[in-house]
Amino acid sequence: MKIGIIREGKIPPDSRVPLIPEQCASIMGSYEGVDIVVQPSPGRCYPDEAYQHQNIKLTEDMQSCQVLMGVKEVPVDQLIPNKTYFFFSHTIKEQSYNRKLLLAVLEKNIRLIDYEVLTDNRGKRLIAFGKFAGMVGAHNGILTYGKRTGLFDLVRMKDCLDYAEARQIYKRVQWPAMKVVLTGTGRVGKGAALVLRDMGLREVEPDDFLTLSYDEAVFTVLACADYAARKDGKPFRKQDFYENPAAYKSIFGPYAAAADVMINGIYWDNEAPAFFTKEDMQAPDFNIQVIADVTCDIAPVSSIPSTLRPSTIPEPVFGFDPFTGTETPPYQPDAVDMMTIDNLPNELPRDASKAFGQQFMDYILPELLKPDSKVIERATVAAGGKLGPHFQYLKGYVEGVSA
């Protein structure tokens, strides 16, 4: 099997890599018959020379590879027919902006394996950048609050060599009394909570967060049962919430009145309730001033109605006026500041790439080399010009019936 690490083509460019140089060399040394080549790229966090130093061949020609690996969506005009691709396609939730990408995948007879749905037999994801998205999202949310209030300064994560440098910086910052609510307990939530703890914020229970005042910086972590409840008053059951999200309503309101900063790290189903509405954001007791939406589902189909668009690493924050429902410049007194970068791990690319590549080596490559793998089958969005068996629900999306 010949694997090609492709150059990232999406704009703005992403500097992450699916496999770092040492991992490529390790794979080739461990698996007889597996060869890896790399398409040259000036923008990677690991430069071309680092791959060459590990005796990994650089080549523009990807035609001889059976498997092509990237990170972000591959532009339609760069797709090579009849190949197996690994990348985050952002099509599986029927994202309208990537419908043409999936159509092209089908037309070009491409087998598309989406990292996002590589799972074990219990449905647990095997590979993800989520921890690092949560880490950078939390950092940026707190940084935005500092810029908005003028109470402290924090360097951008992208300007640190790695997370170890960021941790040293945290030790020198004097945090004001502030209350941060973090939603989500998965990879993203755990990554965000790690940063908040490393910053020195004290973690408190949700009930205490709502009822007590603090003279220090604190945060709380909300699980599903803390922000959603059955509409009919029946007891909350986690599995039922996952299976019947439309049967639930938001009970997040008290946290919106108590928190200064919200970090949103949930996986959101399109049928699940939003945390609040634009009208709720107009209420006098809506206290949140900064929202770091790591989830970044774009309104109106979103858990956060003010996530109007993804922001970018160069321009990470925009304002949202709840009364007009429109975007404003950041840091305006009557607006909520939104941090909605959709490629957050790219601010911590070396740490994120190394961890991601290790997961690929541990869990995915052995499955890929099998003649038949349920793990690969479950993540095959398309193959042979048809939708994969687990993605037949996208038929209407492909045909333009749904968006």
Side-chain angles (χ1 to χ4, degrees), residues 33-341:
V34 175
D35 189 24
I36 300 177
V37 297
V38 175
Q39 201 170 36
S41 174
R44 291 192 182 104
C45 59
Y46 289 88
D48 293 344
E49 294 75 17
Y51 286 94
Q52 289 178 311
H53 185 69
Q54 296 293 331
N55 297 315
I56 308 301
K57 182 182 177 182
L58 297 179
T59 176
E60 284 288 349
D61 180 21
M62 295 285 109
Q63 287 286 355
S64 61
C65 300
Q66 291 83 40
V67 177
L68 300 176
M69 294 178 61
V71 177
K72 302 292 282 187
E73 303 99 308
V74 177
V76 168
D77 62 355
Q78 295 177 24
L79 289 168
I80 303 175
N82 307 314
K83 301 296 183 185
T84 292
Y85 274 89
F86 282 85
F87 58 84
F88 289 101
S89 72
H90 298 114
T91 59
I92 61 174
K93 293 174 76 173
E94 304 186 33
Q95 290 95 324
S96 58
Y97 53 89
N98 276 336
R99 178 174 171 268
K100 289 181 179 178
L101 172 60
L102 184 53
L103 285 172
V105 164
L106 294 167
E107 290 168 1
K108 294 175 183 284
N109 193 39
I110 287 168
R111 177 167 70 149
L112 170 59
I113 302 169
D114 195 313
Y115 297 121
E116 191 170 352
V117 280
L118 286 162
T119 60
D120 63 18
N121 57 14
R122 295 171 297 171
K124 182 180 178 181
R125 287 185 64 179
L126 295 172
I127 184 168
F129 282 108
K131 173 186 174 182
F132 295 92
M135 290 171 68
V136 180
H139 179 101
N140 284 353
I142 301 303
L143 180 151
T144 302
Y145 185 71
K147 284 186 174 296
R148 180 185 178 91
T149 61
L151 294 174
F152 60 91
D153 289 315
L154 190 60
V155 69
R156 291 288 300 274
M157 190 77 88
K158 70 178 181 65
D159 297 326
C160 299
L161 175 65
D162 53 21
Y163 184 60
E165 181 178 341
R167 288 185 65 185
Q168 293 304 311
I169 291 169
Y170 298 156
K171 295 177 182 179
R172 302 194 292 268
V173 180
Q174 294 294 314
W175 308 109
M178 58 180 173
K179 299 177 82 172
V180 180
V181 61
L182 167 61
T183 58
T185 56
R187 279 187 172 93
V188 172
K190 286 181 170 63
L194 170 67
V195 165
L196 296 175
R197 293 187 189 105
D198 285 347
M199 285 178 168
L201 275 65
R202 181 155 72 93
E203 184 172 1
V204 300
E205 291 298 317
D207 285 348
D208 291 340
F209 186 87
L210 294 178
T211 58
L212 300 180
S213 297
Y214 299 92
D215 58 2
E216 62 183 314
V218 301
F219 77 99
T220 196
V221 181
L222 303 189
C224 307
D226 296 311
Y227 61 77
R230 290 267 318 186
K231 293 176 181 176
D232 59 11
K234 291 181 180 178
F236 179 95
R237 288 192 305 110
K238 187 176 182 179
Q239 192 60 36
D240 180 57
F241 178 58
Y242 291 158
E243 294 174 356
N244 303 290
Y248 285 75
K249 64 180 180 179
S250 172
I251 54 171
F252 183 77
Y255 297 98
D260 301 298
V261 178
M262 178 184 185
I263 301 167
N264 181 28
I266 65 167
Y267 177 84
W268 188 72
D269 186 283
N270 289 2
E271 300 298 320
F275 287 105
F276 41 79
T277 66
K278 290 180 182 178
E279 289 72 28
D280 292 333
M281 296 179 74
Q282 299 172 14
D285 65 345
F286 188 90
N287 190 63
I288 296 172
Q289 299 173 60
V290 170
I291 299 175
D293 189 2
V294 183
T295 299
C296 198
D297 286 312
I298 305 303
V301 185
S302 64
S303 57
I304 304 287
S306 47
T307 301
L308 302 179
R309 61 173 178 84
S311 59
T312 65
I313 290 174
E315 299 289 341
V317 182
F318 63 86
F320 175 80
D321 185 333
F323 294 93
T324 63
T326 59
E327 181 177 331
T328 74
Y331 317 125
Q332 303 301 306
D334 296 323
V336 176
D337 285 315
M338 302 295 303
M339 194 296 302
T340 60
I341 297 171

Side-chain angles (χ1 to χ4, degrees), residues 360-379:
F360 185 86
M361 292 171 62
D362 291 344
Y363 305 118
I364 310 306
L365 183 59
E367 298 294 327
L368 182 63
L369 296 174
K370 292 178 181 179
D372 183 39
S373 165
K374 293 296 183 184
V375 170
I376 298 299
E377 179 193 82
R378 285 192 294 268

Side-chain angles (χ1 to χ4, degrees), residues 15-20 23 45-46 128-133 135-136 157-158 160-167 194 344-359:
S15 65
R16 289 172 290 172
V17 295
L19 292 168
I20 71 171
Q23 291 166 347
C45 59
Y46 289 88
F129 282 108
K131 173 186 174 182
F132 295 92
M135 290 171 68
V136 180
M157 190 77 88
K158 70 178 181 65
C160 299
L161 175 65
D162 53 21
Y163 184 60
E165 181 178 341
R167 288 185 65 185
L194 170 67
L344 285 163
N346 202 37
E347 287 204 48
L348 203 61
R350 294 175 68 90
D351 300 69
S353 296
K354 183 178 180 180
F356 187 83
Q358 190 62 53
Q359 292 168 12

